[in-house]
Amino acid sequence: MSDLSPSGDPFRHHPELSALIRPASESFFRTMEPADLDATMAEQGQGPEWRYTDAVREEMRHAALAGHRGRDLWVFAYGSLMWDPGIEFAEVRQAHVAGHCRKMCLVDRSGARGSEARPGLMAGLDRGGSCHGLVFRIAAEKVEVESEVVWRREMIAPCYRAVFIPVHTAQGVVEALAFEADNSTDMIETDLCYDLQVRYLATGQGMLGTSMEYVDNLLGHFETLGIEDAPLARLAADARRYRAEHPSEVPA
């Protein structure tokens, strides 16, 4: 049942996040249709097979949500969903997942935050280890609409698979939808060497901005929430050093 009480402020657990999370109405992803990106992708040399068809994506969504209908839906966020979820949510909590870790393994050569000439780098959710993030609750009566928004964004192209995992919060454990890195796809490179991680992060740029902006947003959220991610902070520092030493490669 949805939380309709006076205490139903989505930010009641973390009021500091209200200024950091972009409202759904202002999100590019709210109304984005995969077909809208076809022309841009064609300019990058990508054919129509770059993405799932609408029919296939919807079939995947319905299959993943089978057995989870009629109740609120929790969605785990570990990357850009943390600050730009694009959905109307009833509640947000700080969260921790065991058995999955945030890894800089999503290599973008398709135009979002990178290109074929200068690939970009973003986070994926890989198996093993643990991960801090946020979890959003979608009210039951909004699940059909909001889950479709999430699927258009996260399952636009082959790189993730939808899974349900236990997520720990200060208010209790919830079962949440998460988008796990699919190691069988071309965009996921969990064995990418450190030097390439640094370069891709330092130089990647696309229609959504730079890879550097992406990781800075991520670290900014961690600072607000008191989350420490030393490996990611080190990677960001090395990427900034790379940008200083190779100014000709830095996006304008």
Side-chain angles (χ1 to χ4, degrees):
M1 182 176 293
S2 302
D3 187 349
L4 300 178
S5 67
S7 62
D9 175 9
F11 298 101
R12 59 190 175 277
H13 303 304
H14 300 285
E16 70 277 9
L17 289 179
S18 62
L20 295 179
I21 295 178
R22 184 173 297 162
S25 61
E26 298 176 11
S27 175
F28 164 81
F29 299 104
R30 183 70 184 172
T31 58
M32 183 272 295
E33 292 290 343
D36 296 341
L37 306 180
D38 285 348
T40 299
M41 298 302 286
E43 293 174 0
Q44 299 286 332
Q46 303 288 329
E49 69 283 352
W50 76 270
R51 63 178 175 90
Y52 289 122
T53 66
D54 293 348
V56 167
R57 189 181 64 256
E58 277 294 274
E59 181 180 354
M60 296 167 71
R61 180 173 72 93
H62 285 283
L65 294 180
H68 298 272
R69 300 283 183 179
R71 59 180 187 264
D72 293 358
L73 177 68
W74 292 92
V75 180
F76 179 65
Y78 61 88
S80 60
L81 275 174
M82 293 176 67
W83 64 84
D84 186 14
I87 56 173
E88 297 285 354
F89 56 90
E91 184 179 353
V92 59
R93 299 179 185 177
Q94 189 170 346
H96 178 260
V97 168
H100 284 82
C101 62
R102 180 175 29 254
K103 183 177 289 187
M104 299 302 285
C105 62
L106 177 56
V107 178
D108 179 18
R109 297 181 175 88
S110 302
R113 291 185 185 272
S115 64
E116 192 67 44
R118 291 183 177 175
L121 188 64
M122 292 179 282
L125 189 67
D126 197 21
R127 292 189 178 184
S130 63
C131 180
H132 288 277
L134 299 178
V135 65
F136 296 96
R137 178 171 63 84
I138 301 172
E141 65 271 18
K142 294 187 176 184
V143 167
E144 183 62 25
V145 170
E146 303 304 326
S147 66
E148 199 271 334
V149 172
V150 172
W151 242 265
R152 275 189 274 118
R153 181 233 191 99
E154 297 297 294
M155 299 297 286
I156 190 171
C159 62
Y160 297 141
R161 50 176 165 255
V163 296
F164 279 86
I165 59 176
V167 175
H168 297 261
T169 78
Q171 295 74 34
V173 179
V174 299
E175 184 183 37
L177 171 68
F179 294 94
E180 178 186 84
D182 184 347
N183 289 278
S184 70
T185 61
D186 291 340
M187 291 181 68
I188 298 296
E189 298 185 27
T190 56
D191 58 351
L192 188 68
C193 73
Y194 188 78
D195 286 348
L196 283 180
Q197 290 181 45
V198 170
R199 180 155 65 87
Y200 290 175
L201 185 58
T203 63
Q205 181 180 35
M207 60 184 175
L208 297 181
T210 68
S211 294
M212 200 73 234
E213 290 167 345
Y214 170 91
V215 79
D216 283 343
N217 266 324
L218 196 54
L219 289 170
H221 268 74
F222 289 173
E223 182 177 0
T224 299
L225 290 169
I227 296 172
E228 291 188 11
D229 190 327
L232 186 61
R234 175 194 168 211
L235 180 64
D238 287 342
R240 279 188 282 273
R241 188 176 301 111
Y242 186 99
R243 289 162 69 91
E245 294 173 353
H246 303 82
S248 63
E249 298 182 37
V250 176

